[in-house]
């Protein structure tokens, strides 16, 4: 991946999973441009302002959204807005099942505890889903796989 242009990574996460957002940034932050959820409180409940803020951070054509799937992620309206934004902007997307999630390291996953648009696009083959890892090489392979997969499918919006 070192010969390719720098990919911009947007980390979607529920606030209780901030540890993993920070850890992911430590692991891949030297090789990728990292962005994450708008943190201004005044826009957290305003879809239009939230999406406007997302647009400021995601201007490149080589964006990938990494959704950190913890035990409460599916309840976050902001994560749902970020997924919707990514799908409408033809961004690559992958999910990382966190160790705090009951599905971590399990063969079968409980899609009822995942954001609906993510599940629809996972089942359609547009997005990828992997278990969390602390290894840069594994994460780089997940990103490469997800970008290639996205190039062969269309998002379900």
């Amino acid at each position: 991946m070192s010969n390719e242009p720098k990919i911009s990574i947007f980390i979607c996460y529920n606030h209780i999973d901030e540890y993993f957002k920070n850890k992911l940034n430590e692991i891949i932050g030297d090789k990728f441009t990292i962005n994450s959820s708008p943190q201004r409180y005044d826009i957290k409940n305003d879809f239009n302002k939230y999406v406007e803020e997302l647009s400021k951070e995601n201007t490149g054509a080589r964006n990938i959204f990494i959704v950190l799937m913890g035990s409460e992620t599916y309840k976050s309206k902001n994560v749902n807005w970020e997924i919707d934004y990514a799908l409408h902007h033809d961004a690559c997307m992958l999910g990382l099942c966190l160790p705090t999630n009951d599905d971590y390291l399990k063969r079968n996953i409980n899609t009822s505890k995942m954001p609906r648009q993510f599940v629809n696009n996972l089942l359609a083959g547009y997005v990828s889903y992997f278990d969390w890892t602390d290894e840069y090489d594994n994460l780089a392979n997940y990103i490469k796989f997800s970008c290639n997969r996205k190039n062969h499918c269309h998002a379900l919006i």
Side-chain angles (χ1 to χ4, degrees):
M1 291 186 99
S2 59
N3 296 336
E4 297 177 11
K6 206 167 191 183
I7 295 173
S8 180
I9 303 285
F10 185 88
I11 303 172
C12 306
Y13 69 100
N14 185 307
H15 68 280
I16 63 172
D17 297 317
E18 189 166 7
Y19 167 82
F20 291 101
K21 187 255 323 178
N22 293 337
K23 185 71 174 166
L24 183 61
N25 194 15
E26 286 175 22
I27 298 168
I28 65 174
D30 290 343
K31 305 276 196 261
F32 299 94
T33 301
I34 306 292
N35 297 306
S36 60
S37 305
Q39 297 300 310
R40 290 185 20 224
Y41 182 77
D42 63 314
I43 65 170
K44 289 286 188 183
N45 293 309
D46 186 326
F47 174 78
N48 292 327
K49 287 182 182 178
Y50 196 85
V51 169
E52 182 180 316
E53 198 69 24
L54 283 176
S55 295
K56 290 178 186 176
E57 299 293 332
N58 295 285
T59 57
R62 296 195 35 86
N63 286 332
I64 183 163
F65 282 62
I66 298 178
V67 183
L68 300 181
M69 294 288 185
S71 60
E72 304 288 316
T73 303
Y74 72 102
K75 295 178 183 178
S76 171
K77 73 174 175 250
N78 295 122
V79 169
N80 284 312
W81 292 349
E82 293 160 4
I83 291 169
D84 185 66
Y85 176 90
L87 295 171
H88 278 89
H89 288 84
D90 199 34
C92 293
M93 188 181 315
L94 73 91
L96 288 177
C97 182
L98 300 179
T100 58
N101 188 316
D102 290 340
D103 291 337
Y104 183 66
L105 298 179
K106 291 188 179 167
R107 188 172 187 84
N108 297 313
I109 57 174
N110 180 0
T111 58
S112 70
K113 298 235 175 161
M114 299 171 86
R116 184 62 33 220
Q117 278 189 302
F118 185 89
V119 171
N120 292 343
N121 283 279
L122 176 64
L123 297 174
Y126 184 78
V127 302
S128 306
Y129 190 65
F130 301 97
D131 284 317
W132 171 266
T133 180
D134 289 336
E135 299 295 322
Y136 171 81
D137 289 340
N138 290 339
L139 290 165
N141 285 332
Y142 295 167
I143 292 166
K144 185 175 182 179
F145 178 86
S146 298
C147 289
N148 288 335
R149 186 175 208 185
K150 177 240 176 223
N151 289 333
H152 299 289
C153 296
H154 297 286
L156 299 177
I157 299 174

